[in-house]
Amino acid sequence: FSMMGAMGDYMAKKNREIVKIRLDKIKEDEKNDFEVTGGVEIEKKNALLKDSIEQFGLLDPLVVRPSGDGDYILVSGHRRKLMHDRLVKEGKNQFEQAECIVINVNDVDAEQILLEANIPNRVISDWEKMQAVKRMNDIFQRREDSGEKIEGRRREHIADALGMSVSAVGRLEKIEKSLGEEYKQELKEGNIGISVADKLASKPIEEQKAIHEAMGPKVKLVDFCQV
């Protein structure tokens, strides 16, 4: 069950209508917490993207949805919009409008599209992967609560949508459910890896706390035969 797949089928069945929309009419999605600026590597990619847009135009249109007040909410293409913004700040006013595809989707569909468009196509941390799996589980739960019938196993749908293996999704679900808060913070900060987090999540919370007090983030896989 993939929203990106469904959207691709939808676009294939109808003429892909591209419209130009002013940047100031396109609102950022508040649920988008993916990094689009700041880091050295992402800024290198941003510079290349900005040069490409300036030379060749927007090869891949933004995807937006109506916000209900005459404006639009950005569904996919956050870095592309940011590069348009930067070009305008440089005085290149021809980029005040961006080519967009307008789709009519609800909040749940839009959030799923956001995750599917970003997770398989970015270099992201184990923490971000875990959060994406958690959000996808929340999305599927909301679908089921609303009476939507989804055939097949949820974990397989999530794995397919996020470009992960079923076993990877299962491991991330286990860590999110069973890892203590101290080590969740260490995982978030990149101080421990997913394999160590998985081993820790197999232990009772009190034992995890004792290990953290004794070793903090310095715990290694080899230590589990000793702790």
Side-chain angles (χ1 to χ4, degrees):
F1 183 83
S2 166
M3 282 306 302
M4 292 297 286
M7 190 167 73
D9 292 342
Y10 170 76
M11 292 299 176
K13 290 178 181 177
K14 62 173 290 186
N15 292 327
R16 193 167 81 154
E17 184 179 357
I18 298 175
V19 297
K20 286 193 172 183
I21 300 175
R22 287 182 57 87
L23 298 178
D24 58 10
K25 302 288 287 183
I26 303 173
K27 302 175 181 177
E28 296 291 332
D29 186 343
E30 295 180 355
K31 294 182 178 178
N32 176 43
D33 55 4
F34 293 102
E35 184 183 51
V36 295
T37 184
V40 174
E41 289 303 315
I42 199 168
E43 285 302 338
K44 287 180 182 178
K45 293 179 181 179
N46 283 344
L48 291 172
L49 179 59
K50 183 165 74 72
D51 289 345
S52 174
I53 292 173
E54 184 174 9
Q55 291 183 54
F56 307 112
L58 193 58
L59 302 179
D60 192 8
L62 309 181
V63 178
V64 301
R65 62 186 178 116
S67 63
D69 57 3
D71 290 342
Y72 299 87
I73 299 173
L74 189 58
V75 175
S76 177
H78 295 79
R79 286 181 57 236
R80 281 166 274 153
K81 179 182 180 295
L82 176 62
M83 295 309 102
H84 265 264
D85 288 330
R86 290 185 178 180
L87 286 165
V88 172
K89 287 180 180 178
E90 292 175 359
K92 295 157 186 172
N93 295 331
Q94 66 268 35
F95 295 99
E96 286 182 342
Q97 291 184 323
E99 293 184 337
C100 301
I101 297 172
V102 181
I103 60 174
N104 289 289
V105 294
N106 58 31
D107 290 345
V108 174
D109 288 347
E111 185 175 358
Q112 186 169 338
I113 290 170
L114 174 68
L115 292 171
E116 290 186 27
N118 282 276
I119 296 300
N121 300 309
R122 287 177 179 262
V123 177
I124 61 173
S125 68
D126 292 327
W127 172 263
E128 290 173 310
K129 291 177 184 176
M130 187 175 77
Q131 295 306 303
V133 169
K134 180 181 179 182
R135 288 173 69 178
M136 285 293 288
N137 267 307
D138 290 342
I139 287 169
F140 274 82
Q141 189 60 54
R142 278 181 276 164
R143 291 189 182 284
E144 292 173 4
D145 290 344
S146 68
E148 191 171 342
K149 300 294 184 182
I150 302 174
E151 300 295 332
R153 296 177 59 199
R154 181 191 295 186
R155 187 174 291 172
E156 292 177 352
H157 288 308
I158 292 174
D160 181 56
L162 299 182
M164 299 179 186
S165 68
V166 174
S167 60
V169 171
R171 182 163 68 164
L172 290 166
E173 288 174 336
K174 169 192 167 184
I175 293 169
E176 199 281 322
K177 178 181 179 181
S178 302
L179 191 65
E181 291 303 319
E182 295 88 353
Y183 274 116
K184 277 186 179 178
Q185 188 63 32
E186 301 288 6
L187 180 64
K188 183 177 182 179
E189 294 176 3
N191 296 329
I192 62 171
I194 199 70
S195 296
V196 169
D198 185 35
K199 289 289 188 182
L200 287 163
S202 298
K203 296 184 176 295
I205 289 294
E206 290 305 317
E207 189 173 347
Q208 291 184 45
K209 289 182 178 180
I211 294 171
H212 191 265
E213 288 176 5
M215 307 181 73
K218 295 181 180 180
V219 62
K220 308 295 183 185
L221 281 176
V222 71
D223 296 320
F224 285 96
C225 63
Q226 304 168 10
V227 296

